Amino acid sequence: MKFNTLIVLIICFCSTYLSAQKLVTNEISKRIYTTKKLVKAPIIDGKISDVAWDVVPWSSDFVENEPYEGTAPTYQTKFKVIYDAKYLYIALRAFDAHPELIQQRLTRRDGFAGDRINVVIDSYHDKRTAFVFTTTAAGVKGEEIATRNGANFDESWNPIWYTGANVDAEGWTAEMKIPFSQLRFGNAKEQIWGFNVARNIFRKNERSLWQRIPNDKAGFISEAGELHGLVDLKSQKQLEIQPFTVIQYDTYPKELENPFKDGSDFKINGGVDAKIGITNDLTLDLTVNPDFGQVEADPGAIALDGFQIFFEEQRPFFVENKNIFDFKFANGRDNLFYSRRIGRSPQRAANISSGEFADVPQNSTILGAAKFSGKTQNGWSIGVLESVTANEFAEIKQKNGDTREEIVAPLTNYVVARAQKDFNERNSYLGGIFTATNRNLNGNFSELHKAAYTGGFDFRHTWRKRDFYIEGNSIVSYVFGSQEAIEDTQRSMARLFQRVDAQYVNVDPTKTSLTGTGGKIKLGKQGGGNWRYNGGFIWRSPELELNDVGFLRKTDEMIQFLEANYLWQVPKGVYREIELSTEQKAIYDFGGNLNNLEYQISGDINWKNNWWTKTGIGINTQTYSNSFLRGGPRWKSANNRYLYFFFGSDRSKKFSFKLGYFGIRSDAGIYTRNRYVFSINYQPFDAFSLSLENEFNETKDKTQYIGTADFGNTQRYILGAISNDSWATTLRLNYSLNPNFSFQFYGQPFISRGRYAAFNFVNNASADSFSERVNPYTANQLSNGTDAEGNAVFLVDENGDNTTDYSFEKPDFSFVQLQTNLVVRWEYIPGSELFLVWSRGSSGAQDVNNSLTNSVGSQVLDVPAKDTFLLKATYRFIR
């Protein structure tokens, strides 16, 4: 089917179905709770015995939401809400006939384990965004910002508030005290907020709600009840200042003659974070010289396909409220803002000569950063972020003691501005984004962009009780710099304009700028009845570039997609709920070439005993790659089929596990992959939990790219048959003395080993048959040798004249990485913390002939590691 015809059919199908679809819903009336101003403030100890609560009545009549929506819960819940000039107070009573079975699991903040109650407050009353406060039966607090009508929850938000919990003969009780300064609301005389309370009985996997929300509704926040009676609230402008001090001591293997590697380093650092309420809707966050020493290490990974690897942001300043700045314009990780670009490693290595040693900074110093963000009562969501990173210099010393400096990273300014506006009774929004990266190159760094700008707009419209939607976005990028920088961009893995058979792109070495576009349009049904479906189109032009402050793996793609889901949401027989999905996707390049057709069927089942199963099968046909040969001709891959099957036990039990398998098989056995996953979670007692995740990958590929070589006037693209095994084990241990004092351990050994054989070179990259696509090297054509640097290489005598025509490095590898992290955390007063951190890590090569376990053992036991000891203290001043 031609691409344009397929798009027309999608639009016609969706338009016809939407116009014919009849909406059948049972209208649920909005519940209203009317609060009153208190006379005397209660003591927050979790026991709800203060007479202060007597000014308002209890509200109850909760309705079960899971597993049997619309029925009476096993045990009822009730609550009260009162307030004064500065705080909102909430009392909660969770009845339980078996209090000895209540799960009081101790975790760190945001652990969300055990019996718990969530209070959902839509103080914006935009029916899309809410603040969620959680208290567990053990008194552990948690909080989230829910966006996209409950489709996204951000756990990074850490406001100042107070809670307590207590188990008694009737069940358990809790109290909350929430400062109005931590919420966002308008200036109406009487506030009307969206409001709901959810209770989870952990041992039963049962959830009940104060405001009933049928499972076929399109959202969670828009269907909440309402909180009335908040009269004459005064704006509580937030002012928080949090200075911190860090003492760090590093030990590592000493390097002979290297003055920068004498075996240990000691440093003291400090900085300050601040949060200022500009209005009751908008907040300014500031940080000066931030420190990120206590965050968890990135997981081990190796990219054999040449593309960059995405790592999650873990630094607190950038994690908090990150949803405001997100602009994911396409599927996957593509985003106009990727905060890991700020403070990244220097992009240039030090230029040293023999006898010189260099001390190169690991990361660019963030001199300062500021965020201005929030949402106004009239529906404006606003986010502005600016950050400056310093010039970074490598200090270079010679053996005679002479020193010099060499710049390795330029002074850089990053700006991100994001805005959205709700309208049409909060059923629609329009938004926009602008990012800018400006570097002070000072006549240096000709390989970097002088500046990079991106801009875009997005929209979403829902109708018929928000069951149907249409959404989309469009972006444009512009980068400029020296001819060298722009040529490097054209030749990068994301573009490869130098491809020998591409007629629609080519490298222009005289260019000093590039302009590209991208976007998405999507139409579908997200609620009502049993069916869900969507279809749409994504494009990324070849010239698109986001990687100065965004994330983009590939360009030159046009993607058409369709998806349909059928839901069984009412428990019957042995299951609680089932979802069956079908997907179809076609990928074209801007030259009009069809590069992939994919079809998939999958199913998710939650069983009556709270076990779960996920399974699926799929097929890829017409599979081509423009990037496989790194600038060579378009490569045809073998058609492949894949399947996966994962299942796990009841997560509410003290012991639970997950087992899984993912497998790929291609035509003629050219490519096979087996991925095995096994993990356990165990909480032998309330204060201690452990998790162990294991993943083993076994890949065999007869066409793994190795490199290129010149053979006369011909370019040879060299491939090999790789046997690539990787294994990662991640151990996490958590012990909590109380909700504010905890110990956490993280450890992950990672190994990836690749061994090559059956080397060949490309003959006809687009041939249907594997035997026509490549020519194998014979034993007489290959011999062992060394290059000028003494590296082991294969010498190739392709024409058999006993003269080496070219060579390539032996590609076998065995990479091992070990990362461990122990964190002791004490929140000695709300918002102020003390961290004691020990981290240990090492990485390096091992013998490719060793087994995976022996290689990991050697890395752990025999290879000297780097140890870091860190003490960090913060104190939050609040007005």
Side-chain angles (χ1 to χ4, degrees):
M1 182 181 292
K2 295 293 185 181
F3 180 75
N4 292 336
T5 305
L6 192 56
I7 292 298
V8 171
L9 288 176
I10 294 169
I11 296 173
C12 291
F13 168 78
C14 292
S15 301
T16 303
Y17 194 94
L18 293 183
S19 62
Q21 180 77 9
K22 292 183 179 180
L23 186 67
V24 180
T25 60
N26 296 318
E27 291 296 328
I28 306 296
S29 60
K30 289 278 187 183
R31 299 191 69 181
I32 296 173
Y33 185 88
T34 303
T35 183
K36 293 182 181 179
K37 203 164 189 177
L38 57 79
V39 177
K40 180 182 179 182
I43 297 173
I44 305 302
D45 57 9
K47 297 181 179 180
I48 64 170
S49 56
D50 295 80
V51 295
W53 295 110
D54 294 342
V55 298
V56 290
W58 290 102
S59 184
S60 187
D61 298 325
F62 278 55
V63 178
E64 189 171 315
N65 179 255
E66 293 179 0
Y68 296 96
E69 198 285 313
T71 64
T74 303
Y75 304 113
Q76 267 297 337
T77 309
K78 62 182 183 180
F79 68 88
K80 291 182 176 184
V81 183
I82 54 179
Y83 72 100
D84 61 15
K86 292 187 175 182
Y87 300 98
L88 186 74
Y89 301 85
I90 303 168
L92 301 150
R93 157 62 74 181
F95 293 100
D96 197 315
H98 299 282
E100 72 279 3
L101 299 179
I102 293 172
Q103 297 293 300
Q104 302 178 69
R105 300 192 179 184
L106 277 172
T107 66
R108 273 190 58 175
R109 188 172 185 163
D110 295 331
F112 303 114
D115 285 63
R116 60 189 181 273
I117 295 178
N118 315 99
V119 175
V120 182
I121 300 174
D122 177 12
S123 56
Y124 295 116
H125 208 210
D126 64 358
K127 301 182 179 181
R128 290 198 298 117
T129 310
F131 303 101
V132 183
F133 296 86
T134 300
T135 298
T136 75
V140 178
K141 68 169 66 170
E143 53 281 311
E144 302 161 289
I145 294 180
T147 56
R148 294 171 52 200
N149 203 2
N152 181 70
F153 285 81
D154 181 2
E155 299 176 11
S156 64
W157 180 55
N158 287 314
I160 299 294
W161 64 292
Y162 311 88
T163 189
N166 181 65
V167 176
D168 58 25
E170 295 184 86
W172 65 283
T173 57
E175 293 174 306
M176 297 180 177
K177 177 183 175 182
I178 304 170
F180 287 126
S181 64
Q182 306 298 304
L183 302 173
R184 302 291 175 264
F185 51 87
N187 56 4
K189 181 174 179 59
E190 179 181 358
Q191 302 287 328
I192 296 178
W193 292 354
F195 187 81
N196 211 348
V197 179
R199 188 243 182 119
N200 184 283
I201 303 176
F202 198 67
R203 67 184 184 272
K204 292 180 175 291
N205 254 348
E206 179 183 298
R207 185 169 183 252
S208 57
L209 302 174
W210 173 66
Q211 170 68 60
R212 181 189 172 191
I213 303 177
N215 288 335
D216 65 350
K217 290 295 184 180
F220 181 76
I221 300 169
S222 61
E223 307 305 315
E226 293 180 350
L227 178 64
H228 291 200
L230 297 166
V231 180
D232 291 330
L233 291 186
K234 302 300 181 182
S235 175
Q236 302 292 319
K237 293 183 180 179
Q238 190 175 11
L239 176 59
E240 299 176 10
I241 300 174
Q242 187 176 43
F244 65 84
T245 302
V246 177
I247 301 173
Q248 182 173 331
Y249 178 68
D250 298 315
T251 65
Y252 48 83
K254 183 178 180 179
E255 294 183 15
L256 294 177
E257 298 184 343
N258 187 342
F260 300 113
K261 300 294 184 180
D262 60 3
S264 65
D265 294 317
F266 178 79
K267 63 181 179 181
I268 299 177
N269 193 17
V272 64
D273 297 328
K275 188 181 294 288
I276 304 169
I278 305 301
T279 69
N280 206 47
D281 300 316
L282 302 170
T283 302
L284 177 65
D285 291 270
L286 303 169
T287 185
V288 177
N289 192 30
D291 175 82
F292 309 116
Q294 82 280 8
V295 299
E296 191 172 280
D298 292 324
I302 286 182
L304 293 178
D305 59 4
F307 290 102
Q308 62 179 316
I309 299 173
F310 180 92
F311 291 112
E312 293 287 351
E313 178 62 85
Q314 301 184 69
R315 299 172 295 180
F317 175 82
F318 294 107
V319 168
E320 187 173 1
N321 292 335
K322 66 180 180 180
N323 60 286
I324 293 178
F325 297 93
D326 271 349
F327 196 100
K328 294 181 179 179
F329 78 94
N331 293 340
R333 302 290 191 177
D334 293 349
N335 202 321
L336 267 66
F337 179 49
Y338 179 45
S339 55
R340 295 280 298 242
R341 303 293 184 202
I342 301 175
R344 68 191 301 174
S345 300
Q347 293 165 278
R348 175 186 288 181
N351 183 22
I352 59 176
S353 303
S354 177
E356 292 185 327
F357 300 91
D359 183 20
V360 181
Q362 290 186 346
N363 299 96
S364 298
T365 301
I366 300 175
L367 298 175
K371 288 192 300 186
F372 179 69
S373 60
K375 186 162 188 173
T376 65
Q377 187 182 17
N378 59 4
W380 278 101
S381 296
I382 299 171
V384 179
L385 182 147
E386 181 164 7
S387 181
V388 178
T389 59
N391 284 319
E392 291 293 343
F393 294 87
E395 184 181 358
I396 301 172
K397 287 186 178 181
Q398 295 179 327
K399 290 182 179 180
N400 60 12
D402 293 341
T403 64
R404 60 185 174 88
E405 284 188 337
E406 182 178 300
I407 191 168
V408 291
L411 180 75
T412 306
N413 176 244
Y414 301 91
V415 176
V416 182
R418 181 81 163 101
Q420 282 186 340
K421 178 65 170 69
D422 299 338
F423 62 97
N424 188 28
E425 298 181 343
R426 312 288 186 175
N427 288 309
S428 309
Y429 69 74
L430 286 173
I433 190 172
F434 172 77
T435 76
T437 305
N438 290 284
R439 297 184 175 93
N440 183 11
L441 301 183
N442 286 329
N444 206 330
F445 295 98
S446 60
E447 71 273 23
L448 297 181
H449 297 147
K450 170 70 174 175
Y453 304 105
T454 62
F457 77 91
D458 59 341
F459 71 92
R460 181 178 172 90
H461 172 61
T462 62
W463 66 96
R464 286 193 177 180
K465 303 294 184 181
R466 303 176 187 253
D467 287 345
F468 301 97
Y469 69 95
I470 183 171
E471 65 182 19
N473 57 60
S474 182
I475 65 170
V476 60
S477 69
Y478 174 73
V479 296
F480 72 88
S482 67
Q483 292 181 356
E484 177 188 346
I486 299 304
E487 182 174 351
D488 287 347
T489 303
Q490 295 176 77
R491 293 179 178 274
S492 65
M493 274 296 296
R495 274 156 289 276
L496 297 172
F497 284 7
Q498 69 271 28
R499 300 198 309 269
V500 296
D501 59 347
Q503 303 299 316
Y504 59 99
V505 291
N506 62 281
V507 175
D508 184 346
T510 66
K511 276 193 171 185
T512 57
S513 67
L514 278 181
T515 302
T517 65
K520 176 176 71 173
I521 184 73
K522 185 177 180 182
L523 178 69
K525 179 176 183 285
Q526 62 181 359
N530 299 99
W531 281 102
R532 307 286 187 272
Y533 51 82
N534 65 75
F537 176 66
I538 296 168
W539 80 94
R540 306 177 186 91
S541 78
E543 299 83 4
L544 185 66
E545 169 62 333
L546 307 179
N547 288 319
D548 289 272
V549 74
F551 187 88
L552 178 69
R553 273 176 59 90
K554 297 179 69 175
T555 65
D556 192 14
E557 284 190 331
M558 295 183 288
I559 304 172
Q560 166 271 318
F561 61 91
L562 282 172
E563 181 179 355
N565 307 285
Y566 190 84
L567 310 176
W568 288 265
Q569 296 178 300
V570 178
K572 290 183 181 179
V574 297
Y575 69 85
R576 290 165 65 108
E577 58 183 356
I578 301 175
E579 179 176 354
L580 182 65
S581 303
T582 62
E583 299 177 43
Q584 175 270 332
K585 180 171 66 177
I587 302 177
Y588 292 76
D589 63 28
F590 274 65
N593 301 304
L594 175 61
N595 285 340
N596 189 39
L597 274 175
E598 181 177 1
Y599 304 90
Q600 177 179 291
I601 299 175
S602 61
D604 293 353
I605 305 174
N606 289 325
W607 303 98
K608 185 67 68 69
N609 62 357
N610 293 326
W611 287 42
W612 56 271
T613 302
K614 296 179 182 291
T615 186
I617 58 173
I619 184 171
N620 286 286
T621 65
Q622 299 293 316
T623 305
Y624 292 82
S625 172
N626 291 338
S627 60
F628 179 78
L629 295 179
R630 316 295 203 266
R634 182 167 172 256
W635 170 263
K636 177 174 174 53
S637 299
N639 297 336
N640 67 64
R641 299 153 298 283
Y642 61 87
L643 66 89
Y644 60 87
F645 182 81
F646 292 82
F647 73 97
S649 64
D650 185 353
R651 299 181 182 97
S652 69
K653 303 299 183 182
K654 291 196 172 184
F655 177 85
S656 64
F657 71 89
K658 177 177 74 174
L659 281 172
Y661 170 77
F662 177 84
I664 303 177
R665 300 290 184 272
S666 72
D667 292 348
I670 296 170
Y671 181 89
T672 64
R673 182 187 177 194
N674 297 302
R675 173 176 172 249
Y676 304 93
V677 175
F678 171 64
S679 66
I680 62 170
N681 290 276
Y682 182 47
Q683 186 151 12
F685 51 94
D686 289 336
F688 177 74
S689 66
L690 70 86
S691 68
L692 183 66
E693 303 173 20
N694 296 277
E695 180 173 327
F696 176 69
N697 283 275
E698 181 183 51
T699 304
K700 297 184 185 302
D701 186 358
K702 295 180 180 179
T703 58
Q704 174 62 50
Y705 177 84
I706 295 174
T708 61
D710 293 325
F711 178 50
N713 296 323
T714 304
Q715 185 87 347
R716 287 290 186 237
Y717 300 94
I718 304 167
L719 313 178
I722 186 175
S723 176
N724 182 21
D725 300 331
S726 67
W727 170 48
T729 294
T730 304
L731 173 67
R732 288 182 171 89
L733 305 175
N734 298 275
Y735 179 75
S736 300
L737 292 176
N738 57 56
N740 300 315
F741 197 107
S742 63
F743 299 80
Q744 283 190 306
F745 174 81
Y746 164 89
Q748 186 198 66
F750 167 80
I751 180 170
S752 182
R753 182 187 62 184
R755 292 178 290 187
Y756 289 77
F759 298 100
N760 51 77
F761 62 89
V762 176
N763 179 45
N764 182 355
S766 60
D768 289 332
S769 169
F770 173 69
S771 61
E772 295 177 352
R773 285 198 294 275
V774 300
N775 275 344
Y777 289 110
T778 66
N780 293 330
Q781 290 176 310
L782 290 181
S783 61
N784 294 311
T786 57
D787 61 14
E789 287 76 32
N791 298 313
V793 297
F794 284 109
L795 306 176
V796 183
D797 176 15
E798 187 175 323
N799 56 17
D801 62 358
N802 296 319
T803 302
T804 298
D805 297 311
Y806 52 91
S807 65
F808 60 91
E809 190 171 332
K810 290 187 175 181
D812 290 357
F813 65 88
S814 181
F815 173 80
V816 183
Q817 175 180 285
L818 173 68
Q819 296 285 353
T820 62
N821 194 288
L822 175 65
V823 180
V824 181
R825 172 189 172 272
W826 178 29
E827 188 174 2
Y828 54 94
I829 59 174
S832 299
E833 297 173 309
L834 186 68
F835 291 94
L836 180 62
V837 181
W838 167 60
S839 64
R840 181 177 178 85
S842 66
S843 63
Q846 290 287 327
D847 188 340
V848 295
N849 296 312
N850 286 345
S851 67
L852 297 185
T853 54
N854 286 341
S855 293
V856 170
S858 297
Q859 189 74 28
V860 173
L861 300 176
D862 301 334
V863 177
K866 177 181 179 180
D867 290 280
T868 296
F869 301 90
L870 182 147
L871 176 66
K872 178 177 180 180
T874 70
Y875 185 85
R876 188 178 296 190
F877 296 92
I878 304 173
R879 192 198 72 177

